[in-house]
C-alpha cells in the first residue's frame, strides 16, 4: 500500500520580494544580428539589409543566398558592405523560466467576435482569442502566466507593461493588432517555452524602441510585412520572412534573414534594460507535518515561490541558511540544484522547534512555523483510496527505542483497549478553499472534522500495539486522520497523539462529462438533430465522481448518478474527441485541448469541434499528477450533430461543363440544339475558423434539391426572380459521396426567330441564388446568423462559368438554280452562322445531309426532259451539292430535291438549323424548315438544258431637242 506524509497547510507570509540579480544586455545583444552559439550561423537572403553596427556580425559563420560579383547589391549588406562573420559568438541570455499551474482557468473560447476580455495578472491556462475579439491586459508591470497563447484573425491585444510567460506556443495570427497601453520607459516581455509565430500583416502599435521583447526557448518565425520595433531572442532559430522589417536586435543560435528583409539596430543604450531580472522569488515556503515522532526521519520541504500564493515555483541554484542552527542534518546552509524545491532534514530530538531562514523572506505551513517532535505517539497508516471505496486503516502506538532510536511498539497499549479520539482534517485543498467538509467514516459511523469535535472510540490494540478499522471517505483530496489519547488513572499525564507516517489521498473514480446534446443515435436523423456548428463553442460540464462498483464503465450513462467529489481539482486535464460518425471520417481537433478542473460540484469549459459529425468527448488526466497518483477520466454521451458554419464552392474540385452539340474541332453548340451538363459543383463545409470540414459528405452532406438556381447567358446580369435562360432547367441530382451537386436532363437555349447582335457567340454561367443545406447552413455566411432565404443570404449568390459552353445561331439555306448546258450542276445548300450583324457561310462537324431516295417524295422529275439523276450527298461541303442528270443524255427539264438534315453523330433531327413552318410542305429554296412533329428539311430545284437568255432590260429612248 502507498502511504503518504501528512502536511498541515496554512499560510503566514513575511513579505519582502527576493529579486534575482539583474542582467544587462551588454554581452547578449552586441549588434543588430548575433549568434550565441559556437556552432551558430547567420544566413543573409537575397538583397537583405542590416543598418547599424558595422559590416561584421558576431557569429562563427555568415552565408549569403547570392554572392554575385557582378552585382554585389544582390548579397546581404551590412551598412552598405557585404556582411561578414567575426568568427566568435555572443553570450546567451539565461533565464529561470516561470511555469504556472493554470489555476485561474482558461481565457477566451476562440469564437468569432466573443465579448471583450479584461485581464488582470494571474496564473491562467489556455488563452485563445477569437477572430475580431479584443483582450485588454490591465495590471501594470504585471506577471501573467499561460499554458498557451493564441490569437485569431483580426483580433486586438492591448498590453500593459509586464512579463508574459507562456508554457507552450505563442501564435499572433494574420492582421492581429498589438497595442502598448503602458507608460513610457516600461516594457512588454514575452517569455515562451515553445515556438513563437508572428503571421503575415500583424500590426504592432504604440511601442517605442526597446519596449517589446520576445524570448523563445525554441524558434521564432516572424512573417509580418509591417515594420516592427522589437528585440528577438531564441535559443534555437529565428526566421525573418520575405520583406520583413524589424527595428531592434536579434540573437539566436541560427538566424535566417529572408529576401529583402531589413533589420535596423537601435543601439546598446536602448537595449541594455531588456535583459533585466526575469525570475523573481517572492518568498520561500517551509512545509512540514506536526507533531512528528523522533523515531522517524523529519523532512522539511523548502519551495522557492514565484508569488504570494506559491502557485508557481522558480527553478534556481541559490543557497539559503536555515534556522535554528545546530538542528539540521548536514548543516544549516542548503543549495537548490537548479530546481524550485528541495528537502532538508531536522535532527531527531524531542521538543518544540521554531523553523525559519536567517536572511530571506519565508512562510511556513503550519503557519506558526513550530514543529512538535515527540518520543511517543501514534502511527496511522491509511492507504490511498478511490472515493467511496472502503479501505483498511491501521493505528499503532509507538515510542522511540532508547538504544536504536527506532520506532518500536509501545507495550503500554499492547493487548489493551483504549479510548482514543479521532478526527479528520484537510491538507489539500486547505480549510479556506475546500468545498464542504464531509466526514470520514470509521467502521460504520462518522468521526469529527476537527480536534475540538473529535470522536472517541474504544480501540482494542493487539500484541504489537496495533488496531485495524474500515475507513471510507466519499470526497476527494489529500486528507489526514488524526488520533489522540489522554491518560487517566495510572496513565495520568500521558499524552499520545499522531497523524501517522503518511497522509492519504482520496481520488475520484472517474469524470462525468455532460453537454446539452440530445443525440441518441449516431447519424443524421430525428434522433440526432443539429447541435452546434464546427468552430462554435458549446458548454461542457464535468463532475468528478466517486466509486460505486468495480468495473463500472466510466461513461456518462454509468457515472451520472454517482456521488460527486467537489474537492477534486487538477489543472490541464486533456480533452480529446472520438469520432463516432461518419465511419472512416476525420476526428478533427477539439479546442481547448485541456481544461482545469476546479473546486466545486461542477467544472465547465467552452468547447469547439473543428469537424462535422457525431463525437464523444474524453477527459484524461495526466498520469501520476494527482499527488503522484493517477486519476481515471471519463467519456461523454454522443455529442452532435456538429454541422458546418458555412458553405463554399470548391473551385478546384468543381468541373461543371456542357456537352458539345458539335464536338471538336467545332466545339460549340447551336441555339435550340439539345445538350446537357456533366461534372458537378463541389460543395464544401467550413468551420468557424475557416478550416474545411472534411466529414461534410455522405449522409452528413445535407445539401438538398431545393436550391434556387438557373443557367444564364454569361454576359447577362440576372436577378434572383429571373427565370433560367435555358429550357427546360436541368434537374439537380445529388452526389453526397463526393459532396457534389450534379445536373441531369437535356436542355436547350431557345432559338431566336429574328437574330440580333446578342445572338453572336456567347456562353452560359450558372448561379445558385441561395446555396444552403437542410440545416440552414448557407454559402459564405461566415457570421453564422440564422436566416431563411430572402433575408440575410440574398446578397451572397454563388456563380461560375460553364466550361465548354459556347452557343451559335445557325441555319441551312438552299437556292434554286438553272444549268443551261451539260448535265452537272452545283446546287447551293449552305450552312450559315450569325456573326452578330449578318449571316455568313460556315462549316461544322455535326451536320450532314441524308442521301435522297429515288422516290417522287424525295427526288422527283416533273418534266419528261429529265427522267433520272444522282447526287453526291456524302460530298456535300456544307455549301454546294453536286447533282448529275443521268437520263436522257441531253437533259432538258427540272429535278426537285428534298433533303433531310440529320446530326452526323446520332442521326437526330436537326431542327435547330431550321425555322418552324405552318405550311404543309417546305417551299422551294430558302431556309430549311420543319412542320410540327416533322423532320427538318430543305427543298430546291435544279433545271437542266433550258436557257432563258439574259435578264430583260428596258431602255428609255432619249430625244435631243435643239434650241
Amino acid at each position: 500500500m502507498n502511504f503518504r506524509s501528512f502536511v498541515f497547510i496554512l499560510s503566514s507570509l513575511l513579505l519582502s520580494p527576493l529579486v534575482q540579480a539583474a542582467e544587462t544586455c551588454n554581452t547578449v545583444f552586441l549588434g543588430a544580428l548575433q549568434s550565441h552559439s559556437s556552432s551558430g550561423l547567420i544566413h543573409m537572403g537575397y538583397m537583405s539589409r542590416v543598418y547599424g553596427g558595422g559590416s561584421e556580425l558576431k557569429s562563427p559563420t555568415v552565408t549569403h543566398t547570392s554572392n554575385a560579383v557582378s552585382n554585389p547589391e544582390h548579397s546581404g549588406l551590412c551598412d552598405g558592405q557585404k556582411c561578414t562573420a567575426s568568427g566568435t559568438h555572443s553570450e546567451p541570455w539565461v533565464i529561470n523560466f516561470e511555469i504556472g499551474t493554470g489555476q485561474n482557468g482558461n481565457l477566451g473560447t476562440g469564437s468569432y467576435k466573443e465579448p471583450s476580455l479584461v485581464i488582470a495578472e494571474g496564473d491562467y491556462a489556455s488563452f485563445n482569442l477569437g477572430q475580431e475579439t479584443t483582450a485588454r491586459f490591465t495590471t501594470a508591470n504585471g506577471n501573467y502566466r499561460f499554458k498557451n497563447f493564441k490569437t485569431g484573425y483580426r483580433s486586438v491585444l492591448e498590453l500593459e507593461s509586464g512579463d508574459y510567460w507562456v508554457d507552450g506556443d505563442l501564435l499572433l495570427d494574420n492582421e492581429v493588432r498589438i497595442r502598448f497601453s503602458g507608460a513610457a520607459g516600461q516594457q512588454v516581455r514575452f517569455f515562451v517555452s515553445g515556438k513563437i509565430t508572428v503571421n503575415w500583416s500583424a500590426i504592432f502599435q504604440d511601442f517605442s524602441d526597446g519596449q517589446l521583447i520576445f524570448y523563445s526557448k525554441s524558434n521564432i518565425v516572424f512573417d509580418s510585412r509591417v515594420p516592427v520595433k522589437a528585440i528577438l531572442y531564441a535559443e534555437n532559430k529565428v526566421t525573418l520572412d520575405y520583406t520583413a522589417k524589424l527595428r531592434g536586435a536579434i540573437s539566436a543560435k541560427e538566424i535566417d534573414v529572408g529576401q529583402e528583409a531589413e533589420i535596423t539596430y537601435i543601439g546598446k543604450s536602448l537595449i541594455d534594460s531588456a535583459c533585466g531580472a526575469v525570475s523573481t522569488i517572492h518568498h520561500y515556503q517551509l512545509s512540514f507535518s506536526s507533531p512528528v515522532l523522533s523515531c522517524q526521519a523529519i523532512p522539511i520541504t523548502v519551495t522557492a515561490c514565484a508569488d504570494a500564493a506559491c502557485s508557481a515555483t522558480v527553478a534556481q541554484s541559490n543557497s539559503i541558511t536555515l534556522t535554528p542552527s545546530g538542528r539540521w542534518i548536514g548543516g544549516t546552509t542548503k543549495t537548490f540544484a537548479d530546481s524550485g524545491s528541495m528537502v532538508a532534514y531536522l535532527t531527531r530530538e524531542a521538543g518544540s522547534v521554531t523553523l525559519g531562514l536567517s536572511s530571506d523572506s519565508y512562510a511556513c505551513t503550519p503557519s506558526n512555523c513550530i514543529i512538535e517532535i515527540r518520543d511517543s505517539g501514534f502511527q496511522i497508516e491509511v492507504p490511498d483510496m478511490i472515493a467511496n471505496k472502503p479501505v483498511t486503516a491501521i493505528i499503532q502506538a509507538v515510542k522511540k527505542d532508547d538504544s536504536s532510536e527506532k520506532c518500536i511498539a509501545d507495550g503500554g497499549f499492547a493487548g489493551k483497549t483504549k479510548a482514543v479520539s479521532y478526527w479528520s482534517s484537510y491538507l489539500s485543498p486547505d480549510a479556506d478553499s475546500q468545498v464542504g467538509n464531509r466526514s470520514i467514516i470509521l467502521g460504520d459511523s462518522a468521526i469529527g472534522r476537527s480536534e475540538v469535535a473529535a470522536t472517541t472510540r474504544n480501540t482494542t490494540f493487539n500484541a504489537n500495539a496495533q488496531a485495524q478499522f474500515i475507513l471510507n471517505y466519499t470526497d476527494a483530496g489529500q486528507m489526514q486522520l488524526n488520533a489522540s489519547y489522554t491518560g487517566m488513572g495510572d496513565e495520568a499525564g500521558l499524552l499520545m497523539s499522531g497523524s501517522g507516517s503518511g497522509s492519504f489521498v482520496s481520488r475520484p473514480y472517474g469524470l462525468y462529462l455532460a453537454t446539452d446534446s440530445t443525440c441518441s443515435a449516431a447519424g443524421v436523423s430525428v434522433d440526432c438533430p443539429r447541435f452546434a456548428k464546427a468552430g462554435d463553442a458549446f458548454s461542457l460540464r464535468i463532475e468528478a465522481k466517486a466509486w460505486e462498483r468495480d468495473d463500472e464503465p466510466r461513461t456518462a450513462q454509468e457515472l451520472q448518478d454517482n456521488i460527486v467529489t467537489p474537492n477534486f481539482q487538477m489543472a490541464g486535464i486533456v480533452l480529446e474527441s472520438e469520432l463516432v460518425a461518419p465511419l472512416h471520417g476525420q476526428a478533427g481537433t477539439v479546442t481547448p485541448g485541456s481544461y482545469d478542473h476546479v473546486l466545486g460540484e461542477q467544472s465547465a469549459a467552452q468547447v469547439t469541434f473543428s469537424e462535422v459529425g457525431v463525437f464523444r468527448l474524453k477527459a484524461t488526466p495526466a498520469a501520476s499528477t494527482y499527488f503522484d497518483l493517477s486519476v481515471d477520466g471519463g467519456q461523454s454521451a454522443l455529442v452532435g450533430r456538429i454541422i458546418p458554419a458555412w458553405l463554399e464552392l470548391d473551385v478546384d474540385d468543381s468541373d461543371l461543363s456542357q456537352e458539345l452539340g458539335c464536338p471538336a474541332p467545332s466545339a460549340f453548340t447551336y441555339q435550340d440544339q439539345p445538350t446537357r451538363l456533366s461534372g458537378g459543383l463541389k460543395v464544401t463545409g467550413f468551420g468557424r475558423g475557416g478550416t474545411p470540414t472534411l466529414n461534410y459528405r455522405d449522409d452528413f452532406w445535407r445539401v438538398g434539391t431545393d436550391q434556387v438556381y438557373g443557367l444564364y447567358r454569361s454576359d447577362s446580369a440576372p436577378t434572383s426572380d429571373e427565370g433560367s435562360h435555358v429550357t427546360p432547367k436541368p434537374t439537380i441530382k445529388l452526389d453526397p459521396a463526393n459532396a457534389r451537386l450534379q445536373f441531369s436532363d437535356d436542355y436547350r437555349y431557345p432559338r431566336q426567330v429574328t437574330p440580333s447582335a446578342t445572338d453572336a457567340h456567347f456562353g452560359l454561367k450558372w448561379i445558385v441564388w441561395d446555396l444552403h443545406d437542410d440545416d440552414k447552413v448557407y454559402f459564405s455566411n461566415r457570421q453564422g446568423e440564422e436566416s431563411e432565404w430572402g433575408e440575410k443570404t440574398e446578397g451572397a449568390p454563388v456563380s461560375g462559368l460553364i466550361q465548354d459552353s459556347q452557343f451559335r445561331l445557325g441555319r441551312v439555306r438552299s437556292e434554286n438554280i438553272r444549268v443551261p448546258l451539260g448535265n452537272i450542276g452545283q446546287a447551293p445548300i449552305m450552312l450559315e452562322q450569325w456573326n452578330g450583324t449578318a449571316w455568313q457561310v460556315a462549316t461544322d462537324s455535326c451536320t450532314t445531309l441524308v442521301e435522297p431516295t429515288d422516290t417522287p417524295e424525295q427526288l422527283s422529275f416533273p418534266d419528261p426532259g429529265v427522267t433520272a439523276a444522282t447526287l453526291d450527298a456524302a460530298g456535300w461541303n456544307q455549301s454546294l451539292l453536286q447533282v448529275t442528270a443521268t437520263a436522257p443524255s441531253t437533259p432538258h427539264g427540272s429535278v426537285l430535291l428534298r433533303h433531310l438534315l440529320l446530326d452526323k453523330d446520332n442521326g437526330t433531327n436537326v431542327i435547330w438549323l431550321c425555322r418552324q413552318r405552318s405550311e404543309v410542305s417546305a417551299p422551294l429554296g430558302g431556309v430549311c424548315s420543319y412542320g410540327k412533329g416533322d423532320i427538318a428539311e430543305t427543298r430546291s430545284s435544279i433545271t437542266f438544258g433550258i436557257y432563258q437568255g439574259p435578264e430583260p432590260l428596258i431602255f428609255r429612248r432619249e430625244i435631243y431637242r435643239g434650241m
Side-chain angles (χ1 to χ4, degrees):
M1 291 187 292
N2 186 12
F3 302 98
R4 310 190 164 273
S5 298
F6 285 88
V7 180
F8 291 95
I9 299 182
L10 299 169
S11 294
S12 173
L13 304 179
L14 304 174
L15 302 178
S16 60
L18 177 66
V19 179
Q20 181 176 313
E23 303 175 58
T24 67
C25 292
N26 288 334
T27 58
V28 177
F29 296 99
L30 301 173
L33 299 176
Q34 45 265 304
S35 171
H36 55 65
S37 170
S38 59
S39 60
L41 167 69
I42 298 176
H43 177 74
M44 302 298 296
Y46 175 78
M47 295 187 70
S48 55
R49 298 291 183 263
V50 177
Y51 302 105
S55 62
E56 185 178 86
L57 301 180
K58 195 76 169 177
S59 175
T61 306
V62 173
T63 62
H64 295 262
T65 296
S66 174
N67 289 301
V69 176
S70 60
N71 195 343
E73 289 194 356
H74 289 180
S75 301
L77 300 184
C78 294
D79 285 342
Q81 300 181 31
K82 186 176 179 179
C83 303
T84 60
S86 67
T88 58
H89 63 88
S90 62
E91 294 299 318
W93 181 10
V94 180
I95 66 170
N96 294 321
F97 200 89
E98 289 193 16
I99 299 176
T101 63
Q103 66 179 13
N104 296 130
N106 295 325
L107 290 173
T109 65
S111 300
Y112 176 78
K113 281 190 176 180
E114 57 185 313
S116 295
L117 304 177
V118 179
I119 305 165
E121 69 174 339
D123 183 2
Y124 300 101
S126 170
F127 179 82
N128 188 6
L129 190 63
Q131 177 181 337
E132 299 184 30
T133 302
T134 297
R136 298 182 179 90
F137 295 83
T138 59
T139 306
N141 295 315
N143 192 292
Y144 301 87
R145 292 187 294 278
F146 307 91
K147 292 300 183 182
N148 55 67
F149 196 103
K150 178 182 178 182
T151 66
Y153 174 68
R154 287 188 175 177
S155 56
V156 177
L157 290 177
E158 295 185 0
L159 301 176
E160 253 292 359
S161 58
D163 290 340
Y164 295 75
W165 301 87
V166 182
D167 186 22
D169 292 336
L170 168 66
L171 171 63
L172 301 179
D173 208 347
N174 295 335
E175 299 188 30
V176 171
R177 291 184 180 270
I178 303 96
R179 299 171 182 156
F180 181 55
S181 59
Q186 297 178 339
Q187 294 173 323
V188 169
R189 302 189 297 184
F190 280 95
F191 298 98
V192 181
S193 66
K195 180 180 179 181
I196 297 175
T197 303
V198 181
N199 277 346
W200 176 80
S201 199
I203 301 172
F204 295 82
Q205 298 175 324
D206 303 326
F207 287 93
S208 299
D209 290 336
Q211 281 191 308
L212 178 61
I213 299 97
F214 288 100
Y215 183 110
S216 171
K217 295 178 72 66
S218 177
N219 301 319
I220 298 177
V221 176
F222 223 92
D223 189 29
S224 179
R225 310 296 202 271
V226 180
V228 178
K229 296 176 180 179
I231 298 169
L232 310 182
Y233 184 94
E235 293 188 8
N236 190 28
K237 183 177 181 180
V238 170
T239 301
L240 285 188
D241 216 328
Y242 171 72
T243 70
K245 290 179 174 58
L246 181 81
R247 181 177 172 85
I250 302 174
S251 179
K253 177 181 179 181
E254 181 180 345
I255 303 173
D256 189 351
V257 182
Q259 177 179 335
E260 300 180 38
E262 296 180 4
I263 304 96
T264 301
Y265 184 49
I266 59 176
K268 290 184 178 180
S269 62
L270 292 171
I271 291 181
D272 279 348
S273 62
C275 303
V278 297
S279 183
T280 302
I281 300 174
H282 186 275
H283 70 282
Y284 290 99
Q285 187 92 357
L286 281 64
S287 303
F288 52 89
S289 295
S290 180
V292 294
L293 295 170
S294 62
C295 56
Q296 296 175 325
I298 306 174
I300 309 296
T301 299
V302 184
T303 303
C305 299
D307 55 24
C310 208
S311 62
T313 64
V314 180
Q316 38 106 27
S317 301
N318 293 345
S319 295
I320 58 172
T321 300
L322 295 163
T323 61
S325 62
R327 290 302 306 264
W328 299 92
I329 296 174
T332 58
T333 300
K334 306 295 181 184
T335 302
F336 287 84
D338 193 22
S339 174
S341 64
M342 67 175 176
V343 177
Y345 290 88
L346 278 172
T347 57
R348 296 188 294 161
E349 303 170 37
S352 178
V353 182
T354 301
L355 306 181
L357 300 177
S358 64
S359 59
D360 296 315
S361 174
Y362 68 93
C364 299
T365 55
S367 61
N368 61 6
C369 296
I370 296 174
I371 184 170
E372 294 287 343
I373 306 173
R374 298 175 181 175
D375 286 336
S376 64
F378 292 121
Q379 282 186 337
I380 303 174
E381 297 177 348
V382 182
D384 294 326
M385 62 180 293
I386 296 174
N388 200 39
K389 186 175 183 179
V391 295
T392 299
I394 298 173
I395 182 173
Q396 183 179 27
V398 296
K399 64 180 181 178
K400 181 180 179 180
D401 182 70
D402 293 336
S403 57
S404 68
E405 296 189 350
K406 295 181 178 179
C407 292
I408 60 174
D410 188 334
F413 283 74
K416 297 180 181 178
T417 297
K418 302 286 186 178
V420 179
S421 296
Y422 298 94
W423 73 96
S424 64
S425 56
Y426 257 105
L427 300 181
S428 180
D430 61 23
D432 293 332
S433 56
Q434 71 187 56
V435 179
N437 190 359
R438 295 179 188 172
S439 297
I440 287 177
I441 308 298
L442 285 186
D444 55 4
S445 60
I447 62 172
R449 296 189 292 267
S450 65
E451 186 172 6
V452 296
T455 300
T456 301
R457 298 278 183 86
N458 288 327
T459 305
T460 300
F461 294 86
N462 63 17
N464 292 321
Q466 287 182 334
Q468 292 186 355
F469 40 79
I470 300 300
L471 179 148
N472 194 11
Y473 184 61
T474 61
D475 205 343
Q478 187 181 35
M479 299 293 296
Q480 181 165 281
L481 177 62
N482 308 284
S484 68
Y485 172 75
T486 301
M488 300 180 64
D490 294 343
E491 295 179 330
L494 174 63
L495 177 63
M496 297 279 288
S497 64
S499 55
S501 59
S503 64
F504 72 95
V505 173
S506 176
R507 63 191 188 273
Y509 177 77
L511 300 178
Y512 167 69
L513 281 68
T515 70
D516 293 328
S517 171
T518 60
C519 181
S520 60
V524 180
S525 69
V526 294
D527 296 321
C528 195
R530 52 174 283 182
F531 172 58
K533 293 181 178 180
D536 282 355
F538 59 90
S539 179
L540 170 67
R541 301 175 297 279
I542 310 102
E543 299 175 4
K545 295 286 192 173
W547 175 89
E548 188 175 86
R549 69 179 191 275
D550 286 337
D551 300 323
E552 181 182 19
R554 292 175 175 85
T555 63
Q557 182 178 1
E558 293 290 336
L559 295 179
Q560 182 174 3
D561 296 326
N562 290 33
I563 298 172
V564 176
T565 59
N567 281 297
F568 172 72
Q569 61 180 338
M570 179 183 285
I573 296 178
V574 174
L575 288 177
E576 298 174 294
S577 61
E578 174 193 353
L579 178 66
V580 182
L583 294 175
H584 312 299
Q586 301 294 318
T589 57
V590 59
T591 302
S594 65
Y595 84 98
D596 295 335
H597 199 100
V598 298
L599 296 175
E601 295 286 325
Q602 188 179 88
S603 290
Q606 293 297 307
V607 176
T608 65
F609 285 127
S610 68
E611 261 298 347
V612 162
V614 180
F615 302 85
R616 288 190 180 93
L617 279 166
K618 291 183 177 181
T620 307
S624 305
T625 55
Y626 190 64
F627 303 101
D628 297 328
L629 295 175
S630 295
V631 175
D632 288 308
Q635 177 178 277
S636 73
L638 296 177
V639 182
R641 275 184 299 117
I642 307 300
I643 63 176
W646 73 82
L647 305 179
E648 296 285 353
L649 258 296
D650 187 337
V651 177
D652 294 334
D653 202 16
S654 294
D655 56 357
L656 193 64
S657 61
Q658 180 176 284
E659 294 183 2
L660 295 170
C662 283
S666 294
F668 62 81
T669 303
Y670 284 111
Q671 292 186 28
D672 241 8
Q673 186 176 13
T675 185
R676 63 172 49 216
L677 295 174
S678 61
L681 303 176
K682 176 71 173 289
V683 182
T684 303
F686 278 79
R688 185 69 63 208
T691 303
T693 52
L694 302 181
N695 293 341
Y696 193 59
R697 56 176 176 80
D698 297 323
D699 291 343
F700 288 84
W701 190 75
R702 301 275 287 155
V703 177
T705 60
D706 61 336
Q707 313 296 323
V708 177
Y709 69 99
L711 303 188
Y712 305 91
R713 290 178 59 110
S714 59
D715 56 2
S716 67
T719 59
S720 59
D721 56 357
E722 185 173 340
S724 185
H725 290 174
V726 302
T727 184
K729 185 173 70 174
T731 302
I732 288 180
K733 179 182 177 182
L734 304 178
D735 180 14
N738 297 300
R740 288 161 68 90
L741 280 174
Q742 296 179 329
F743 298 87
S744 61
D745 303 330
D746 288 350
Y747 64 88
R748 59 188 179 86
Y749 184 87
R751 176 185 175 84
Q752 304 305 303
V753 176
T754 303
S756 66
T758 61
D759 290 307
H761 306 165
F762 63 89
L764 292 179
K765 62 184 176 184
W766 54 267
I767 300 179
V768 181
W769 296 100
D770 71 332
L771 181 61
H772 67 283
D773 71 6
D774 292 343
D775 290 315
K776 297 184 181 179
V777 180
Y778 281 87
F779 166 74
S780 207
N781 187 12
R782 300 184 179 219
Q783 284 69 45
E785 298 165 341
E786 291 294 339
S787 59
E788 298 290 347
W789 163 236
E791 299 174 8
K792 303 286 185 184
T793 62
E794 191 166 2
V798 57
S799 63
L801 295 177
I802 299 175
Q803 300 174 36
D804 297 328
S805 173
Q806 184 184 113
F807 281 91
R808 299 187 182 185
L809 179 61
R811 72 181 185 181
V812 172
R813 183 176 62 85
S814 65
E815 294 180 0
N816 304 319
I817 65 167
R818 304 182 188 93
V819 181
L821 298 174
N823 66 339
I824 299 176
Q826 300 291 333
I829 302 177
M830 296 166 289
L831 176 64
E832 296 177 332
Q833 294 176 0
W834 181 256
N835 66 7
T837 57
W839 292 99
Q840 62 184 22
V841 176
T843 60
D844 68 22
S845 58
C846 61
T847 306
T848 186
L849 290 175
V850 176
E851 186 87 35
T853 58
D854 189 9
T855 65
E857 186 180 349
Q858 295 192 29
L859 185 61
S860 59
F861 311 100
D863 302 318
V866 179
T867 59
T870 61
L871 52 83
D872 184 12
W876 179 52
N877 62 1
Q878 298 184 322
S879 179
L880 296 172
L881 176 69
Q882 180 172 298
V883 180
T884 303
T886 57
S889 59
T890 302
H892 187 83
S894 297
V895 177
L896 300 183
L897 307 174
R898 181 187 181 216
H899 294 288
L900 307 181
L901 295 172
L902 297 178
D903 187 288
K904 183 182 294 183
D905 292 329
N906 54 33
T908 56
N909 192 12
V910 186
I911 61 173
W912 49 87
L913 295 176
C914 306
R915 66 176 178 84
Q916 186 173 8
R917 67 176 187 271
S918 58
E919 306 92 345
V920 176
S921 300
L924 289 176
V927 178
C928 69
S929 62
Y930 63 95
K932 188 174 182 180
D934 290 340
I935 60 176
E937 61 178 303
T938 179
R939 293 176 182 265
S940 60
S941 69
I942 181 168
T943 304
F944 292 92
I946 299 175
Y947 180 66
Q948 295 179 332
E951 292 292 331
L953 298 176
I954 299 175
F955 295 92
R956 177 178 294 175
R957 183 177 181 183
E958 294 184 3
I959 301 175
Y960 176 76
R961 298 181 184 273
M963 297 291 297

